[in-house]
């Protein structure tokens, strides 16, 4: 089992940047594929990006490509989401999640992720 704790959320103006962190504890962090999801009020939780166990393979939802970057530091048991050029529509609660598989291609499906953090609020103002 792994415990996940997100941090780094906050209020930022459109065009600004934030970096989210997700610290993991418990089982060996490098055993897990990691993902970031977000959920806006009244909407379903959606996939944002994923990174495989060794950090080589990264995928993103189209709406954040070129603006968001996911990375991980297995020595620090942490995954990051660097968010640049933020838009009002990026406002949501952001969650990190862990998938026990070591698949090459991270899954975009939330049901493939067994462990979730509590979420961190990101609010982008116009």
């Amino acid at each position: 089992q792994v415990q996940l704790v997100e941090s780094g959320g906050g209020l930022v103006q459109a065009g600004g940047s934030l970096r989210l962190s997700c610290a993991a504890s418990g089982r060996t962090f490098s055993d897990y594929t990691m993902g970031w999801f977000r959920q806006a009020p009244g909407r379903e939780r959606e996939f944002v990006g994923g990174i495989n166990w060794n950090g080589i393979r990264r995928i993103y939802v189209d709406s954040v490509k070129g603006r968001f970057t996911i990375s991980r530091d297995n020595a620090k048991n942490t995954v990051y989401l660097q968010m640049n050029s933020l838009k009002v529509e990026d406002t949501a609660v952001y969650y990190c999640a862990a998938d026990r598989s070591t698949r090459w291609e991270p899954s975009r499906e939330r049901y493939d992720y067994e462990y979730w953090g509590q979420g961190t609020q990101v609010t982008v103002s116009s």
Side-chain angles (χ1 to χ4, degrees):
Q1 191 161 347
V2 64
Q3 293 78 44
L4 304 172
V5 179
E6 301 97 335
S7 62
L11 174 64
V12 64
Q13 285 191 327
S17 298
L18 282 174
R19 187 176 82 155
L20 306 183
S21 299
C22 173
S25 60
R27 292 280 306 271
T28 305
F29 179 67
S30 60
D31 287 347
Y32 293 86
T33 298
M34 300 300 295
W36 284 97
F37 290 75
R38 65 187 180 186
Q39 188 167 17
R43 302 188 65 175
E44 291 201 358
R45 192 169 299 188
E46 69 165 346
F47 175 80
V48 175
I51 186 167
N52 72 345
W53 67 275
N54 61 9
I56 292 177
R57 181 66 178 142
R58 313 176 198 194
I59 61 171
Y60 303 92
V61 68
D62 286 348
S63 60
V64 307
K65 282 181 181 177
R67 301 189 297 122
F68 290 12
T69 302
I70 188 170
S71 61
R72 67 189 296 162
D73 185 336
N74 286 344
K76 295 183 177 180
N77 290 353
T78 302
V79 62
Y80 304 97
L81 183 67
Q82 177 67 45
M83 305 186 294
N84 298 329
S85 302
L86 282 160
K87 303 177 181 180
V88 172
E89 52 263 42
D90 294 318
T91 296
V93 177
Y94 284 70
Y95 299 88
C96 72
D99 171 4
R100 287 178 294 183
S101 76
T102 53
R103 65 186 87 221
W104 173 255
E105 179 86 358
S107 172
R108 298 174 181 267
E109 300 297 329
R110 60 182 179 174
Y111 303 107
D112 284 329
Y113 292 82
E114 293 86 2
Y115 306 106
W116 293 81
Q118 82 289 348
T120 186
Q121 176 71 46
V122 172
T123 303
V124 185
S125 63
S126 58

Coordinates of all heavy atoms in Angstrom, one line a residue, residues 48-123:
V48 N -5.3 14.0 -16.4 CA -4.5 15.1 -16.8 C -3.2 14.6 -17.4 O -2.8 15.0 -18.5 CB -4.1 16.1 -15.6 CG1 -3.2 17.2 -16.0 CG2 -5.4 16.6 -15.0
G49 N -2.5 13.8 -16.7 CA -1.2 13.2 -17.2 C -0.8 12.0 -16.4 O -1.2 11.8 -15.3
G50 N 0.1 11.3 -17.0 CA 0.7 10.1 -16.3 C 2.1 9.9 -16.7 O 2.6 10.3 -17.7
I51 N 2.8 9.2 -15.8 CA 4.2 8.9 -16.0 C 4.5 7.5 -15.6 O 4.0 7.0 -14.5 CB 5.1 9.9 -15.2 CG1 6.6 9.8 -15.5 CG2 4.8 9.9 -13.7 CD1 7.4 10.9 -15.0
N52 N 5.3 6.8 -16.4 CA 5.5 5.4 -16.0 C 6.6 5.3 -14.9 O 7.1 6.3 -14.4 CB 5.8 4.5 -17.2 CG 7.2 4.8 -17.8 OD1 7.8 5.8 -17.5 ND2 7.7 3.9 -18.6
W53 N 6.9 4.1 -14.5 CA 7.6 3.8 -13.3 C 9.0 4.4 -13.4 O 9.6 4.9 -12.3 CB 7.7 2.3 -13.0 CG 8.5 1.6 -14.0 CD1 8.0 1.1 -15.2 CD2 9.9 1.2 -13.9 NE1 9.1 0.4 -15.8 CE2 10.2 0.5 -15.1 CE3 10.9 1.5 -13.0 CZ2 11.5 0.0 -15.3 CZ3 12.1 1.0 -13.2 CH2 12.4 0.3 -14.4
N54 N 9.6 4.4 -14.5 CA 11.0 5.0 -14.6 C 11.1 6.4 -15.2 O 12.1 6.9 -15.4 CB 11.9 4.0 -15.5 CG 11.4 3.8 -16.9 OD1 10.5 4.5 -17.3 ND2 12.0 2.9 -17.6
G55 N 9.9 7.0 -15.4 CA 9.9 8.4 -15.9 C 10.1 8.6 -17.4 O 10.1 9.7 -17.8
I56 N 10.3 7.5 -18.1 CA 10.6 7.7 -19.5 C 9.3 8.0 -20.3 O 9.3 8.8 -21.2 CB 11.3 6.4 -20.1 CG1 12.7 6.3 -19.4 CG2 11.4 6.5 -21.6 CD1 13.4 5.1 -19.8
R57 N 8.2 7.3 -20.0 CA 7.0 7.5 -20.8 C 6.1 8.4 -20.1 O 5.7 8.2 -18.9 CB 6.3 6.1 -21.0 CG 5.1 6.2 -21.9 CD 5.3 6.6 -23.3 NE 4.1 6.6 -24.1 CZ 3.8 7.5 -25.0 NH1 4.6 8.5 -25.2 NH2 2.6 7.5 -25.6
R58 N 5.7 9.5 -20.8 CA 4.7 10.5 -20.2 C 3.6 10.7 -21.2 O 3.9 10.9 -22.4 CB 5.4 11.8 -19.8 CG 6.7 11.6 -19.1 CD 7.5 12.9 -18.9 NE 8.9 12.7 -18.6 CZ 9.7 13.6 -18.1 NH1 9.2 14.8 -17.8 NH2 10.9 13.4 -17.9
I59 N 2.4 10.8 -20.7 CA 1.3 11.2 -21.6 C 0.5 12.2 -20.9 O 0.5 12.4 -19.7 CB 0.4 9.9 -21.9 CG1 -0.2 9.3 -20.6 CG2 1.3 8.9 -22.6 CD1 -1.2 8.2 -20.9
Y60 N -0.3 13.0 -21.8 CA -1.1 14.1 -21.3 C -2.4 14.1 -22.0 O -2.6 13.7 -23.2 CB -0.4 15.4 -21.5 CG 1.0 15.5 -20.9 CD1 2.1 15.1 -21.6 CD2 1.2 16.0 -19.6 CE1 3.4 15.2 -21.1 CE2 2.4 16.0 -19.0 CZ 3.5 15.7 -19.8 OH 4.8 15.7 -19.2
V61 N -3.4 14.7 -21.4 CA -4.7 15.0 -22.1 C -4.4 16.2 -23.0 O -3.5 17.0 -22.7 CB -5.8 15.4 -21.0 CG1 -5.5 16.7 -20.3 CG2 -7.1 15.4 -21.7
D62 N -5.1 16.2 -24.1 CA -4.8 17.2 -25.2 C -4.8 18.6 -24.6 O -4.0 19.5 -25.1 CB -5.7 17.0 -26.3 CG -5.4 15.8 -27.2 OD1 -4.3 15.2 -27.0 OD2 -6.2 15.5 -28.0
S63 N -5.7 18.9 -23.7 CA -6.0 20.3 -23.3 C -4.8 20.9 -22.5 O -4.7 22.1 -22.3 CB -7.2 20.4 -22.5 OG -7.1 19.6 -21.3
V64 N -3.8 20.0 -22.0 CA -2.7 20.5 -21.3 C -1.4 20.3 -22.0 O -0.3 20.8 -21.5 CB -2.7 19.9 -19.8 CG1 -4.0 20.1 -19.1 CG2 -2.2 18.5 -19.9
K65 N -1.4 19.7 -23.1 CA -0.1 19.4 -23.8 C 0.6 20.7 -24.1 O 0.0 21.7 -24.6 CB -0.4 18.7 -25.1 CG -0.7 17.2 -24.9 CD -0.9 16.5 -26.2 CE -1.2 15.0 -26.0 NZ -1.5 14.3 -27.3
G66 N 1.9 20.8 -23.9 CA 2.7 22.0 -24.1 C 2.6 23.0 -23.0 O 3.4 23.9 -23.0
R67 N 1.7 22.8 -22.0 CA 1.6 23.7 -20.9 C 2.0 23.0 -19.6 O 2.6 23.6 -18.7 CB 0.2 24.2 -20.7 CG -0.2 25.0 -22.0 CD -1.6 25.7 -21.7 NE -2.7 24.8 -21.4 CZ -3.4 24.8 -20.3 NH1 -3.1 25.7 -19.3 NH2 -4.4 23.9 -20.1
F68 N 1.7 21.7 -19.4 CA 1.9 21.0 -18.2 C 3.0 19.9 -18.4 O 3.1 19.4 -19.5 CB 0.7 20.2 -17.7 CG -0.4 21.1 -17.2 CD1 -0.4 22.5 -17.4 CD2 -1.5 20.5 -16.6 CE1 -1.5 23.2 -16.9 CE2 -2.6 21.2 -16.1 CZ -2.5 22.6 -16.2
T69 N 3.8 19.7 -17.4 CA 4.9 18.7 -17.5 C 4.8 17.8 -16.2 O 4.9 18.4 -15.1 CB 6.3 19.3 -17.6 OG1 6.3 20.1 -18.8 CG2 7.3 18.2 -17.8
I70 N 4.8 16.6 -16.4 CA 4.8 15.6 -15.2 C 6.2 15.0 -15.1 O 6.8 14.7 -16.2 CB 3.7 14.5 -15.4 CG1 3.6 13.7 -14.1 CG2 4.0 13.7 -16.6 CD1 2.4 12.8 -14.1
S71 N 6.7 14.9 -13.9 CA 8.0 14.3 -13.7 C 8.0 13.6 -12.4 O 7.0 13.7 -11.6 CB 9.1 15.4 -13.7 OG 8.9 16.3 -12.7
R72 N 9.0 12.8 -12.1 CA 9.1 12.1 -10.9 C 10.5 12.0 -10.4 O 11.5 12.0 -11.3 CB 8.4 10.7 -11.0 CG 9.2 9.7 -11.9 CD 8.3 8.5 -12.1 NE 8.1 7.7 -10.8 CZ 7.2 6.8 -10.7 NH1 6.4 6.5 -11.7 NH2 7.1 6.1 -9.5
D73 N 10.7 11.9 -9.1 CA 12.0 11.7 -8.5 C 11.9 10.5 -7.6 O 11.4 10.6 -6.5 CB 12.5 12.9 -7.8 CG 13.9 12.8 -7.2 OD1 14.4 11.7 -7.0 OD2 14.5 13.8 -7.0
N74 N 12.3 9.3 -8.1 CA 12.1 8.1 -7.3 C 12.9 8.1 -6.0 O 12.6 7.4 -5.1 CB 12.4 6.9 -8.2 CG 11.3 6.6 -9.2 OD1 10.2 7.1 -9.1 ND2 11.6 5.8 -10.2
A75 N 14.0 8.8 -6.1 CA 14.9 8.9 -4.8 C 14.2 9.7 -3.7 O 14.4 9.4 -2.5 CB 16.2 9.5 -5.2
K76 N 13.3 10.6 -4.1 CA 12.5 11.4 -3.2 C 11.1 10.9 -3.0 O 10.3 11.6 -2.3 CB 12.6 12.9 -3.6 CG 13.9 13.5 -3.6 CD 13.9 15.0 -4.0 CE 15.3 15.6 -3.9 NZ 15.2 17.1 -4.2
N77 N 10.7 9.9 -3.7 CA 9.4 9.4 -3.6 C 8.3 10.4 -3.9 O 7.3 10.5 -3.3 CB 9.1 8.8 -2.2 CG 9.8 7.5 -2.0 OD1 10.5 6.9 -2.9 ND2 9.8 7.0 -0.8
T78 N 8.6 11.2 -5.0 CA 7.7 12.3 -5.3 C 7.5 12.4 -6.8 O 8.4 12.2 -7.6 CB 8.4 13.6 -4.8 OG1 8.6 13.5 -3.4 CG2 7.5 14.8 -5.0
V79 N 6.3 12.8 -7.1 CA 5.9 13.1 -8.5 C 5.4 14.5 -8.5 O 4.9 15.0 -7.6 CB 4.8 12.1 -9.0 CG1 3.5 12.2 -8.2 CG2 4.5 12.3 -10.5
Y80 N 5.7 15.2 -9.6 CA 5.4 16.6 -9.8 C 4.5 16.9 -11.0 O 4.5 16.1 -12.0 CB 6.7 17.4 -10.0 CG 7.8 17.2 -8.9 CD1 8.8 16.2 -9.0 CD2 7.7 17.9 -7.7 CE1 9.7 16.0 -8.0 CE2 8.6 17.7 -6.7 CZ 9.6 16.8 -6.9 OH 10.6 16.6 -5.9
L81 N 3.8 18.0 -10.9 CA 3.1 18.5 -12.1 C 3.4 19.9 -12.2 O 2.9 20.8 -11.4 CB 1.6 18.2 -11.9 CG 0.7 18.6 -13.1 CD1 1.1 17.7 -14.3 CD2 -0.7 18.6 -12.8
Q82 N 4.2 20.3 -13.2 CA 4.5 21.7 -13.4 C 3.5 22.2 -14.4 O 3.3 21.7 -15.5 CB 5.9 21.8 -14.1 CG 6.3 23.2 -14.5 CD 6.4 24.2 -13.2 OE1 7.1 23.8 -12.3 NE2 5.9 25.4 -13.3
M83 N 2.8 23.3 -14.0 CA 1.7 23.8 -14.8 C 2.0 25.3 -15.1 O 2.2 26.1 -14.3 CB 0.4 23.8 -14.0 CG 0.0 22.4 -13.4 SD -1.6 22.3 -12.6 CE -1.3 23.4 -11.2
N84 N 2.2 25.5 -16.4 CA 2.5 26.8 -17.0 C 1.3 27.3 -17.8 O 0.5 26.5 -18.2 CB 3.8 26.8 -17.8 CG 5.0 26.3 -17.0 OD1 5.1 26.6 -15.8 ND2 5.9 25.7 -17.7
S85 N 1.3 28.6 -18.1 CA 0.3 29.2 -18.9 C -1.1 28.8 -18.5 O -1.9 28.4 -19.3 CB 0.5 28.8 -20.4 OG 1.8 29.3 -20.8
L86 N -1.3 28.9 -17.2 CA -2.6 28.4 -16.7 C -3.8 29.2 -17.2 O -3.7 30.4 -17.4 CB -2.6 28.5 -15.1 CG -1.8 27.3 -14.5 CD1 -1.4 27.7 -13.1 CD2 -2.6 26.0 -14.5
K87 N -4.9 28.5 -17.3 CA -6.1 29.1 -17.8 C -7.2 29.0 -16.8 O -7.1 28.1 -15.9 CB -6.6 28.4 -19.1 CG -5.5 28.4 -20.2 CD -6.0 27.6 -21.4 CE -5.0 27.6 -22.5 NZ -5.4 26.8 -23.7
V88 N -8.2 29.8 -16.9 CA -9.3 29.7 -15.9 C -9.9 28.3 -15.9 O -10.3 27.8 -14.9 CB -10.4 30.8 -16.3 CG1 -11.6 30.6 -15.4 CG2 -9.8 32.2 -16.1
E89 N -10.0 27.7 -17.1 CA -10.6 26.4 -17.2 C -9.7 25.3 -16.5 O -10.2 24.1 -16.5 CB -10.9 26.0 -18.6 CG -9.8 26.2 -19.6 CD -9.8 27.5 -20.3 OE1 -10.1 28.6 -19.6 OE2 -9.5 27.5 -21.5
D90 N -8.5 25.6 -16.1 CA -7.7 24.6 -15.3 C -8.1 24.6 -13.9 O -7.6 23.7 -13.1 CB -6.2 25.0 -15.4 CG -5.7 24.9 -16.8 OD1 -6.0 23.9 -17.5 OD2 -4.9 25.7 -17.2
T91 N -9.0 25.4 -13.5 CA -9.5 25.5 -12.1 C -10.1 24.1 -11.7 O -11.0 23.7 -12.4 CB -10.4 26.6 -11.8 OG1 -9.8 27.9 -12.0 CG2 -11.0 26.6 -10.4
A92 N -9.6 23.5 -10.6 CA -10.1 22.2 -10.2 C -9.4 21.8 -9.0 O -8.4 22.4 -8.6 CB -9.9 21.2 -11.3
V93 N -9.9 20.7 -8.4 CA -9.1 20.0 -7.4 C -8.2 19.0 -8.1 O -8.7 18.2 -8.9 CB -10.0 19.3 -6.3 CG1 -9.1 18.5 -5.3 CG2 -10.8 20.3 -5.6
Y94 N -6.9 19.0 -7.9 CA -6.0 18.1 -8.5 C -5.6 16.9 -7.6 O -5.3 17.2 -6.4 CB -4.8 18.9 -9.0 CG -5.0 19.7 -10.2 CD1 -5.8 20.8 -10.1 CD2 -4.5 19.3 -11.4 CE1 -6.1 21.6 -11.3 CE2 -4.7 20.1 -12.6 CZ -5.5 21.2 -12.5 OH -5.8 21.9 -13.6
Y95 N -5.6 15.7 -8.1 CA -5.3 14.5 -7.4 C -4.2 13.8 -8.0 O -4.1 13.7 -9.2 CB -6.5 13.6 -7.3 CG -7.8 14.1 -6.7 CD1 -8.7 14.9 -7.5 CD2 -8.0 13.9 -5.4 CE1 -9.9 15.4 -6.9 CE2 -9.2 14.4 -4.8 CZ -10.1 15.1 -5.6 OH -11.2 15.6 -5.0
C96 N -3.3 13.3 -7.2 CA -2.3 12.3 -7.7 C -2.8 10.9 -7.4 O -3.6 10.7 -6.4 CB -0.9 12.6 -7.2 SG -0.6 12.1 -5.5
A97 N -2.4 10.0 -8.2 CA -2.9 8.6 -8.0 C -1.8 7.6 -8.4 O -0.9 7.9 -9.2 CB -4.1 8.4 -8.9
A98 N -1.8 6.4 -7.8 CA -0.8 5.4 -8.0 C -1.4 4.2 -8.6 O -2.4 3.7 -8.1 CB 0.0 5.1 -6.7
D99 N -0.8 3.6 -9.6 CA -1.2 2.4 -10.2 C -0.1 1.3 -9.9 O 1.0 1.5 -10.3 CB -1.4 2.7 -11.7 CG -1.6 1.4 -12.5 OD1 -1.7 0.3 -12.0 OD2 -1.7 1.5 -13.8
R100 N -0.5 0.2 -9.4 CA 0.5 -0.8 -9.0 C 1.2 -1.5 -10.1 O 2.3 -2.0 -10.0 CB -0.2 -1.9 -8.1 CG -0.6 -1.5 -6.7 CD -1.3 -2.6 -6.0 NE -2.5 -2.9 -6.6 CZ -3.4 -3.8 -6.2 NH1 -3.1 -4.5 -5.1 NH2 -4.5 -4.0 -6.8
S101 N 0.6 -1.3 -11.3 CA 1.3 -2.0 -12.5 C 2.5 -1.2 -12.9 O 2.6 0.0 -12.7 CB 0.3 -2.1 -13.6 OG 0.2 -0.9 -14.3
T102 N 3.4 -1.9 -13.5 CA 4.6 -1.2 -14.1 C 4.4 -1.1 -15.6 O 5.4 -1.4 -16.4 CB 5.9 -1.8 -13.7 OG1 5.8 -3.2 -14.0 CG2 6.1 -1.7 -12.2
R103 N 3.2 -0.8 -16.1 CA 3.0 -0.8 -17.5 C 3.8 0.3 -18.2 O 4.1 1.3 -17.6 CB 1.5 -0.5 -17.8 CG 1.0 0.8 -17.3 CD -0.6 0.9 -17.5 NE -1.3 0.4 -16.3 CZ -2.4 -0.3 -16.4 NH1 -2.9 -0.7 -17.6 NH2 -3.0 -0.8 -15.3
W104 N 4.2 0.1 -19.4 CA 5.0 1.1 -20.1 C 4.2 2.4 -20.4 O 4.7 3.5 -20.2 CB 5.5 0.5 -21.4 CG 6.2 1.5 -22.3 CD1 5.7 2.1 -23.4 CD2 7.5 2.1 -22.1 NE1 6.6 3.0 -23.9 CE2 7.7 3.0 -23.1 CE3 8.5 1.9 -21.1 CZ2 8.9 3.7 -23.2 CZ3 9.6 2.6 -21.2 CH2 9.8 3.5 -22.2
E105 N 2.9 2.2 -20.8 CA 2.1 3.3 -21.1 C 1.1 3.6 -19.9 O 0.3 2.7 -19.6 CB 1.2 3.0 -22.4 CG 0.3 4.1 -22.8 CD 0.9 5.1 -23.7 OE1 2.1 5.0 -24.0 OE2 0.2 6.0 -24.1
P106 N 1.3 4.7 -19.3 CA 0.4 5.0 -18.2 C -1.1 4.9 -18.6 O -1.4 5.3 -19.7 CB 0.7 6.4 -17.7 CG 2.1 6.6 -18.2 CD 2.2 5.8 -19.5
S107 N -2.0 4.5 -17.7 CA -3.4 4.4 -18.1 C -4.0 5.8 -17.9 O -3.6 6.6 -17.1 CB -4.1 3.4 -17.1 OG -5.5 3.5 -17.3
R108 N -5.0 6.0 -18.8 CA -5.8 7.3 -18.7 C -7.1 7.0 -17.9 O -7.9 8.0 -17.6 CB -6.2 7.7 -20.1 CG -5.0 8.1 -20.9 CD -5.4 8.4 -22.4 NE -4.3 8.8 -23.2 CZ -3.8 10.0 -23.4 NH1 -4.4 11.0 -22.9 NH2 -2.7 10.2 -24.2
E109 N -7.3 5.8 -17.4 CA -8.5 5.4 -16.8 C -8.4 5.5 -15.2 O -7.5 4.8 -14.7 CB -9.0 4.0 -17.2 CG -9.2 3.9 -18.7 CD -10.3 4.7 -19.2 OE1 -11.3 5.0 -18.4 OE2 -10.3 5.1 -20.3
R110 N -9.2 6.2 -14.6 CA -9.1 6.4 -13.1 C -9.3 5.1 -12.4 O -8.7 4.9 -11.3 CB -10.0 7.4 -12.6 CG -11.5 7.1 -12.8 CD -12.4 8.2 -12.3 NE -13.8 8.0 -12.5 CZ -14.8 8.7 -12.1 NH1 -14.5 9.8 -11.3 NH2 -16.0 8.4 -12.3
Y111 N -10.0 4.1 -13.0 CA -10.2 2.9 -12.3 C -9.0 2.0 -12.3 O -8.9 1.0 -11.6 CB -11.4 2.1 -13.0 CG -12.6 3.0 -13.0 CD1 -13.1 3.6 -14.2 CD2 -13.3 3.3 -11.8 CE1 -14.2 4.4 -14.2 CE2 -14.4 4.1 -11.8 CZ -14.9 4.6 -13.0 OH -16.0 5.4 -13.0
D112 N -8.0 2.3 -13.0 CA -6.7 1.6 -13.0 C -5.8 2.0 -11.9 O -4.8 1.4 -11.6 CB -6.0 1.7 -14.3 CG -6.6 0.8 -15.4 OD1 -7.1 -0.2 -15.1 OD2 -6.5 1.2 -16.6
Y113 N -6.2 3.1 -11.2 CA -5.3 3.6 -10.1 C -5.9 3.2 -8.8 O -7.1 3.6 -8.5 CB -5.2 5.2 -10.2 CG -4.4 5.6 -11.5 CD1 -5.0 5.6 -12.7 CD2 -3.1 5.9 -11.4 CE1 -4.3 6.0 -13.9 CE2 -2.3 6.2 -12.5 CZ -3.0 6.3 -13.7 OH -2.2 6.6 -14.8
E114 N -5.1 2.5 -8.0 CA -5.7 2.0 -6.7 C -5.6 3.0 -5.6 O -6.3 2.9 -4.6 CB -4.9 0.7 -6.4 CG -5.1 -0.5 -7.3 CD -4.2 -0.5 -8.5 OE1 -3.3 0.4 -8.6 OE2 -4.3 -1.4 -9.3
Y115 N -4.6 3.9 -5.6 CA -4.4 4.7 -4.5 C -4.5 6.2 -4.9 O -4.0 6.6 -6.0 CB -3.0 4.4 -3.9 CG -2.8 3.0 -3.5 CD1 -2.0 2.2 -4.3 CD2 -3.5 2.5 -2.4 CE1 -1.8 0.8 -3.9 CE2 -3.3 1.1 -2.1 CZ -2.5 0.3 -2.9 OH -2.4 -1.0 -2.5
W116 N -5.1 7.0 -4.0 CA -5.3 8.4 -4.3 C -4.9 9.3 -3.1 O -5.1 8.9 -2.0 CB -6.8 8.6 -4.6 CG -7.2 7.9 -5.9 CD1 -7.6 6.6 -6.0 CD2 -7.4 8.5 -7.1 NE1 -7.9 6.3 -7.3 CE2 -7.8 7.5 -8.0 CE3 -7.2 9.8 -7.6 CZ2 -8.1 7.8 -9.4 CZ3 -7.5 10.1 -9.0 CH2 -7.9 9.0 -9.8
G117 N -4.5 10.5 -3.5 CA -4.3 11.5 -2.5 C -5.6 12.2 -2.2 O -6.6 11.9 -2.7
Q118 N -5.5 13.2 -1.3 CA -6.7 13.9 -0.8 C -7.0 15.1 -1.7 O -8.1 15.6 -1.6 CB -6.5 14.4 0.6 CG -5.7 15.7 0.8 CD -4.2 15.6 0.4 OE1 -3.7 14.5 0.3 NE2 -3.6 16.7 0.3
G119 N -6.1 15.4 -2.6 CA -6.4 16.5 -3.5 C -5.9 17.9 -3.1 O -5.8 18.1 -1.9
T120 N -5.6 18.7 -4.0 CA -5.2 20.1 -3.7 C -5.9 21.0 -4.7 O -6.0 20.7 -5.9 CB -3.6 20.2 -3.8 OG1 -3.3 21.5 -3.4 CG2 -3.1 20.0 -5.2
Q121 N -6.4 22.1 -4.2 CA -7.2 23.0 -5.0 C -6.3 24.0 -5.8 O -5.4 24.6 -5.3 CB -8.1 23.9 -4.1 CG -8.9 24.9 -4.8 CD -10.0 24.3 -5.7 OE1 -10.7 23.5 -5.2 NE2 -10.1 24.8 -6.9
V122 N -6.6 24.1 -7.1 CA -6.0 25.0 -8.0 C -7.1 25.9 -8.5 O -8.0 25.5 -9.1 CB -5.2 24.3 -9.1 CG1 -4.8 25.3 -10.1 CG2 -4.1 23.5 -8.6
T123 N -6.9 27.2 -8.3 CA -7.9 28.2 -8.7 C -7.1 29.2 -9.6 O -6.2 29.8 -9.2 CB -8.6 28.9 -7.6 OG1 -9.2 27.9 -6.7 CG2 -9.6 29.9 -8.1

